[in-house]
Amino acid sequence: MEVGVLAVQGDFAEHIAILKGLGVVGREVRLPQHLEKMGGLIIPGGESTTLSRLMSLYGLREPVTRMACQGKAVWGTCAGMIMMAHEITEEDPVPLRIMDIGVHRNAFGRQVDSFEQDLDIACFGETPFHGVFIRAPAIVRVGKNVDVLASLPGGEPVAVQQGNLLATAFHPELTNDARFHRHFLGLLPVPSE
Ligand code: GLN
């Protein structure tokens, strides 16, 4: 099995390593043709303004948007989540608008205010998921067709899903816990004959 991992900037190598542990090839996506035959794409964490510029430069915005609309699985972590949002509270970057959420960048403060938090996620069972938040964005609006998978103790949503689309404000790729990656693989469309 193969899934795409956007590899223009950010921590794509960590995603690819976790996928490898699950027996899945994470194919580095830098150009639109790398998306061909991909049933899913991970947009990693990094710097959303840079991600956005490079996606425009390499002509990736339109094909990634099309993938999401075609029911393929797309998952954004942190900066990747910012890119998936319908709207953000800042002017930069211009998000892809593929998921019905509103996002506020750097909502928890600067790099020094990064934090870790165990998250209870019902569909993952009893063991909490260790959330690593690095200059994390907040989800400030959740559309009516969007499910909240995890929230902070104060109630702020930090993992959301809308059908084939998944977004996390934190970085599951920076842990040894592959449950989010396995969950994402479960969203891939069943290949047609
Ligand atoms: N703060 C970054 C941004 O706005 C995201 C940080 C991250 O992906 N860890 O793009």
Side-chain angles (χ1 to χ4, degrees):
M1 197 200 256
E2 253 190 6
V3 297
V5 182
L6 189 71
V8 294
Q9 196 261 340
D11 68 344
F12 55 89
E14 287 79 357
H15 276 292
I16 291 171
I18 297 207
L19 291 169
K20 191 172 176 201
L22 295 172
V24 174
V25 175
R27 189 180 215 248
E28 294 184 12
V29 171
R30 295 196 175 84
L31 293 170
Q33 56 264 39
H34 301 154
L35 285 168
E36 275 163 31
K37 302 201 185 82
M38 291 296 129
L41 177 73
I42 298 176
I43 307 177
E47 179 55 44
S48 56
T49 50
T50 310
L51 269 180
S52 173
R53 276 180 199 119
L54 292 173
M55 287 185 83
S56 300
L57 191 65
Y58 295 122
L60 284 161
R61 295 180 77 94
E62 192 271 331
V64 170
T65 305
R66 191 161 5 107
M67 267 184 97
C69 298
Q70 284 171 343
K72 295 182 177 166
V74 183
W75 173 22
T77 59
C78 201
M81 177 178 92
I82 296 168
M83 287 309 299
M84 290 179 72
H86 179 269
E87 77 275 352
I88 66 170
T89 51
E90 298 73 31
E91 287 194 356
D92 198 23
V94 177
L96 295 170
R97 305 165 61 93
I98 54 184
M99 208 171 171
D100 191 13
I101 54 172
V103 167
H104 176 35
R105 292 178 63 206
N106 302 323
F108 301 96
R110 304 168 60 144
Q111 191 78 14
V112 289
D113 303 308
S114 296
F115 62 99
E116 302 187 13
Q117 173 69 50
D118 278 344
L119 302 165
D120 284 320
I121 302 182
C123 58
F124 290 172
E126 291 284 288
T127 312
F129 194 94
H130 193 65
V132 178
F133 295 80
I134 303 170
R135 282 197 305 128
I139 301 167
V140 292
R141 186 185 66 78
V142 176
K144 65 176 183 335
N145 295 323
V146 177
D147 296 316
V148 175
L149 303 184
S151 302
L152 290 175
E156 303 90 339
V158 288
V160 288
Q161 183 174 339
Q162 182 181 359
N164 53 308
L165 308 172
L166 182 64
T168 50
F170 50 97
H171 292 273
E173 72 279 15
L174 299 182
T175 65
N176 294 321
D177 191 336
R179 285 180 291 173
F180 259 104
H181 289 78
R182 218 177 275 121
H183 181 72
F184 168 71
L185 295 173
L187 304 179
L188 294 180
V190 181
S192 49
E193 300 303 320

